Amino acid sequence: MFGYIFFFLTACFYIGLAMITASKPNLSGENAMGHGLALFFLGAGFALMSLALAISISVGGGFNWISQASGTRLLVVLLTWLVVALTTFCCAIFKWEWYNDTLYPEFLHWLAVRNGQLWLSLPWLVACALSLNTNWQVTASPYAFKLPFWFALCVGVVYSGGLLIGYLRESAKSAQTYAAEESAQRDRWHQQTLDEIAKQQPTDPIINLLGHANRFRDDDVRKAALEKIKAHPNWESEILDLLKDKRSYREVYDFLDGNRVEHPDQFAEPLNESILWLADNIKAEIKDSNNLQHWSFDMYGIDKVLRAIDDQFMNRGVDFYPSIVRLKQSLDTTPPERFKGVRFSIAGEVDRWLRSHRK
């Protein structure tokens, strides 16, 4: 009983697709949106109802002629449904919407303009209709329902294979285009950075150059930044003044990570003091923040200052260990209840440093 109902509903959606694709629609403005929604509704309805039809026939034993093995039979039925539904829907789309520069195989469009959404799915509907009642299979010729079924399966597999090839081609093209655009964008940013560095004069604030001198910047950018930094007559004193300023000390971490100073003894104590400022700042932000994530403090330069300490400021008459402990305690500050359980990823770097320098 359900099989007949699902067949009727499938046929209704099939007829709807035939009607909506019979003439070329107006694909502009709201008309295009309305046509697209109608096409999607009819295509989805056809797919869902035909799936219910296929399952109903299979449960009733109407597809037992396919194979004696139930698993194989179900696999063949579902595969046939899938490729028929996909072929029907895509033919309905490609009939009036096709781009000349597409990488999808041309035969997909050729079949679509020849109403493939109708005659490619019709044999499958015929096979389903004759399989609704097992008594009909006794009186009818086996070829009446077998040939249409296998024909629909074969054509659907070929058409779906074409869709897959087109999708892979388009995906590869999109990936190449995206990669080329990203590369061009990086090149523009790179050149803009070099141009900005080149414009810097010894009278300009040295803080504008510190981030470009970090060890992870491109070699040419870093080299250009270092040349401009050292063109300042008192570049080291200027950087030291920035380190002693609560408004700018974190920018100095970018420079100290990978670049040696000529008088590290003068930097050790201010650097240690800045870590305490950093700890206080983090503690306050955790308590007052309305958006804590595991990466919240990744960009605060904590990893940079730890490397800088190891590279050039150890054994300079300053004990950094208590300050790093204080920093660790700040990262362990109890957050607001809604952020309970957030574990800051940078805390792992601090833990490793403390373990390696434990006395």
Side-chain angles (χ1 to χ4, degrees):
M1 179 63 182
F2 286 108
Y4 296 100
I5 296 175
F6 290 135
F7 181 82
F8 173 76
L9 294 175
T10 302
C12 288
F13 284 110
Y14 172 80
I15 295 171
L17 283 173
M19 293 176 64
I20 198 175
T21 57
S23 59
K24 187 173 183 179
N26 182 2
L27 298 177
S28 61
E30 295 182 357
N31 291 327
M33 180 178 294
H35 175 77
L37 289 175
L39 194 61
F40 173 79
F41 172 75
L42 292 171
F46 178 83
L48 292 175
M49 290 302 103
S50 60
L51 174 60
L53 173 63
I55 294 175
S56 178
I57 295 174
S58 184
V59 171
F63 286 135
N64 286 353
W65 53 267
I66 294 177
S67 174
Q68 295 301 315
S70 59
T72 301
R73 183 169 62 249
L74 181 61
L75 179 62
V76 171
V77 169
L78 292 179
L79 175 62
T80 305
W81 161 78
L82 177 62
V83 297
V84 168
L86 195 60
T87 299
T88 302
F89 184 64
C90 290
C91 277
I93 294 176
F94 292 157
K95 182 176 181 180
W96 300 117
E97 298 185 35
W98 184 265
Y99 301 99
N100 293 328
D101 60 346
T102 184
L103 296 180
Y104 280 83
E106 181 62 31
F107 81 88
L108 301 179
H109 185 225
W110 186 88
L111 290 172
V113 297
R114 287 161 179 79
N115 295 308
Q117 73 277 12
L118 303 181
W119 61 266
L120 290 179
S121 54
L122 183 59
W124 183 75
L125 287 174
V126 171
C128 288
L130 295 176
S131 299
L132 280 170
N133 193 323
T134 54
N135 293 328
W136 295 349
Q137 298 178 15
V138 176
T139 58
S141 170
Y143 299 106
F145 50 86
K146 290 184 179 181
L147 285 181
F149 183 91
W150 295 118
F151 173 79
L153 174 60
C154 292
V155 174
V157 167
V158 172
Y159 199 91
S160 299
L163 290 173
L164 179 61
I165 291 172
Y167 173 77
L168 294 176
R169 288 175 177 175
E170 291 283 356
S171 297
K173 180 182 178 181
S174 298
Q176 292 174 354
T177 301
Y178 178 78
E181 292 175 352
E182 285 288 298
S183 178
Q185 182 67 30
R186 286 195 299 269
D187 290 342
R188 286 194 296 270
W189 287 341
H190 184 83
Q191 188 57 50
Q192 288 174 4
T193 301
L194 289 175
D195 293 342
E196 290 175 2
I197 293 173
K199 293 177 183 178
Q200 294 293 313
Q201 300 297 321
T203 54
D204 293 328
I206 200 171
I207 194 173
N208 297 334
L209 297 166
L210 299 183
H212 299 308
N214 184 263
R215 70 166 71 201
F216 297 110
R217 299 304 296 263
D218 293 331
D219 290 342
D220 55 345
V221 170
R222 185 182 181 190
K223 180 180 178 181
L226 287 174
E227 289 178 355
K228 287 290 184 177
I229 288 172
K230 295 183 178 181
H232 287 240
N234 300 308
W235 65 270
E236 192 168 280
S237 297
E238 292 183 44
I239 294 176
L240 186 57
D241 290 339
L242 292 173
L243 183 61
K244 294 177 180 180
D245 191 331
K246 288 185 177 182
R247 297 169 298 177
S248 57
Y249 68 93
R250 278 165 47 187
E251 280 77 4
V252 178
Y253 294 167
D254 280 318
F255 178 81
L256 296 180
D257 181 24
N259 299 293
R260 290 189 170 273
V261 293
E262 296 176 357
H263 303 89
D265 292 339
Q266 297 179 12
F267 280 79
E269 184 58 42
L271 182 62
N272 191 42
E273 180 69 18
S274 75
I275 297 172
L276 298 177
W277 296 341
L278 182 62
D280 292 340
N281 187 31
I282 290 174
K283 184 176 181 179
E285 290 199 25
I286 292 176
K287 289 183 176 181
D288 297 334
S289 178
N290 57 8
N291 182 25
L292 288 177
Q293 304 292 336
H294 68 89
W295 39 260
S296 291
F297 301 111
D298 286 359
M299 303 302 293
Y300 276 47
I302 295 175
D303 54 335
K304 299 172 185 176
V305 74
L306 294 178
R307 284 193 297 266
I309 291 171
D310 289 340
D311 287 347
Q312 56 179 321
F313 298 112
M314 291 295 290
N315 303 317
R316 299 291 179 179
V318 175
D319 185 5
F320 289 95
Y321 194 88
S323 299
I324 304 302
V325 170
R326 174 92 163 268
L327 180 61
K328 165 63 176 172
Q329 292 171 344
S330 295
L331 290 168
D332 291 338
T333 300
T334 302
E337 183 63 26
R338 62 185 180 278
F339 301 119
K340 185 178 180 180
V342 174
R343 167 69 176 175
F344 304 116
S345 55
I346 195 63
E349 295 290 331
V350 178
D351 290 338
R352 281 188 286 274
W353 192 93
L354 290 173
R355 285 195 300 269
S356 65
H357 295 79
R358 183 173 294 138
K359 299 176 182 179

